[in-house]
Amino acid sequence: MDPIVLAAGTALVTAMATDAWQSARDGAIALWRRVRPEQADIVEAELVEVREQLLEARRDGDADTEQALVGSWQVRLQQLLRADPSLAQEIKRVVDEVLTPALEPADQERIGSLVMKATASGHGRVYQAGRDQTINER
């Protein structure tokens, strides 16, 4: 999945629980209107429903539901990007200018993308991690 889609899905769902929910919704709807305008009204209604599910999950301390909602919107955004690869810059703009600023600092740290590439030839080894890593070799 494209790293910008991962960031966008996380930022969108996280922003749904903030006071900037309307801006987050408007930013997401603008993406749909560009690629699939016939679905924009349906997506808008679904965003309202998902927001209610998110708020309920947070009240109940249900992190699994919240993560499932994030994953669902990541998949939907990936489908938009596949339909129109030029949309990547617009998704990034919405993440950077609309969604991320609406989040608390701790939530802003969760948003972003990490792209790691490694190459090894011969008998070389490559170790990479997005965070902690322990290597025990004998």
Side-chain angles (χ1 to χ4, degrees):
M1 190 169 287
D2 192 285
I4 192 60
V5 167
L6 296 173
T10 302
L12 175 61
V13 173
T14 304
M16 287 179 181
T18 70
D19 291 336
W21 143 245
Q22 298 295 332
S23 295
R25 186 197 66 198
D26 292 348
I29 296 303
L31 295 172
W32 259 267
R33 287 200 195 289
R34 178 171 166 192
V35 179
R36 295 188 177 142
E38 72 284 357
Q39 294 178 358
D41 291 337
I42 294 167
V43 170
E44 184 171 9
E46 290 172 348
L47 285 167
V48 171
E49 183 179 322
V50 168
R51 180 174 191 259
E52 291 304 316
Q53 292 172 350
L54 173 66
L55 294 175
E56 183 178 329
R58 287 200 170 182
R59 278 191 302 271
D60 295 344
D62 185 356
D64 292 338
T65 294
E66 184 170 347
Q67 193 56 46
L69 294 171
V70 168
S72 172
W73 284 94
Q74 288 171 336
V75 168
R76 294 183 79 166
L77 289 162
Q78 182 70 38
Q79 291 169 339
L80 279 186
L81 189 58
R82 282 190 184 129
D84 184 356
S86 70
L87 194 61
Q89 288 299 348
E90 180 63 13
I91 293 172
K92 182 170 179 3
R93 186 196 66 73
V94 170
V95 169
D96 292 345
E97 296 177 14
V98 178
L99 300 175
T100 302
L103 305 177
E104 296 292 326
D107 289 328
Q108 288 179 4
E109 290 179 18
R110 294 183 338 155
I111 308 305
S113 60
L114 174 65
V115 178
M116 298 180 0
K117 296 180 183 180
T119 304
S121 60
H123 296 288
R125 292 188 177 134
V126 175
Y127 302 98
Q128 48 182 69
R131 257 198 81 174
D132 302 336
Q133 182 177 55
T134 302
I135 300 168
N136 296 313
E137 292 184 353
R138 297 181 195 266

